[in-house]
Amino acid sequence: MPITGKTPHFLAAWWAALLLAVPAVAQEAPTQSADFAGQPASADARYVADWAVESKDNQKLPFVIVDKKDARIFVFEPGGRIRGTSPVLLGLTPGDLAAPGLDKRELARLDPQARTTPAGRFVSEPGRNLQGEDVVWVDYEAALAIHRLRPSAARERRAERLASAVPEDNRISLGCVIVPVAFYENVVRPALGRGHGVVYVLPETRPAREMFGAL
């Protein structure tokens, strides 16, 4: 059939139908989401993990969800597949704001009300604390890190707190996110110990959707 400036009627109808169909197919493309691999997680943790993947807020970096209400951490690969999850120890006092002037105060002498784990989005980096221990700094200025469980006073029962099924038992730290030694070595350090990551610490005084949906 010769090509001319006019389109035969049946071809015009076919082409119009095709053009109408294409946008509909594009709109139905599947949406990405985080893969928890069957691990139980709260609705807030799932929402923020899905939001991070769908919006690409993690910028192709490994990312972490710290669910303070459930006293649990989830570590994800850049694409959104979970690497591991574990209970954690958190700041003694509930709250979503860091105490001011932490970089100028002796942490061991912090008042109980100042021992909070602040909520928010943080860009983490590996480093070392004053004792030379390798840690993952969540917010260096606020002295907030993810680190291993360390030996401590027997009265604090930190190992027992980590093993407890009651999230309220896990409030004991100065503010840092403390994980079991094996979890740090096998999950945290391989994922976050070589470069930057993104850490989402879920709030406990306001809805997670309000904090992260507005970013």
Side-chain angles (χ1 to χ4, degrees), residues 85-166:
T85 180
S86 169
V88 294
L89 299 181
L90 299 164
L92 175 67
T93 303
D96 293 325
L97 300 177
L102 285 177
D103 57 333
K104 301 175 182 178
R105 299 164 67 179
E106 188 175 344
L107 295 181
R109 296 187 178 182
L110 282 180
D111 295 332
Q113 62 270 22
R115 301 182 182 189
T116 61
T117 300
R121 178 193 186 275
F122 305 90
V123 177
S124 69
E125 61 179 334
R128 293 189 178 274
N129 60 18
L130 294 177
Q131 290 71 42
E133 175 193 15
D134 65 291
V135 301
V136 174
W137 289 112
V138 177
D139 185 344
Y140 182 82
E141 296 299 325
L144 174 63
I146 301 172
H147 66 74
R148 306 168 184 81
L149 179 67
R150 303 167 181 153
S152 60
R155 66 178 182 278
E156 293 186 352
R157 299 181 297 108
R158 293 196 171 201
E160 291 86 349
R161 290 174 182 275
L162 269 174
S164 171
V166 181

Side-chain angles (χ1 to χ4, degrees), residues 36-71:
F36 280 79
Q39 293 290 339
S42 70
D44 280 350
R46 292 184 182 278
Y47 164 76
V48 176
D50 286 346
W51 172 80
V53 173
E54 290 170 8
S55 66
K56 297 180 172 55
D57 182 79
N58 65 312
Q59 300 177 348
K60 298 182 180 180
L61 294 172
F63 67 97
V64 170
I65 305 291
V66 177
D67 188 341
K68 292 195 289 179
K69 292 180 181 179
D70 280 356

Side-chain angles (χ1 to χ4, degrees), residues 33-42 45-46 49-50 53 58 61-66 72-87 183 186-188 191:
S33 60
D35 181 4
F36 280 79
Q39 293 290 339
S42 70
R46 292 184 182 278
D50 286 346
V53 173
N58 65 312
L61 294 172
F63 67 97
V64 170
I65 305 291
V66 177
R72 195 155 198 89
I73 188 173
F74 302 88
V75 180
F76 292 88
E77 297 173 355
R81 181 170 177 79
I82 196 168
R83 289 188 67 128
T85 180
S86 169
F183 186 79
N186 297 325
V187 178
V188 173

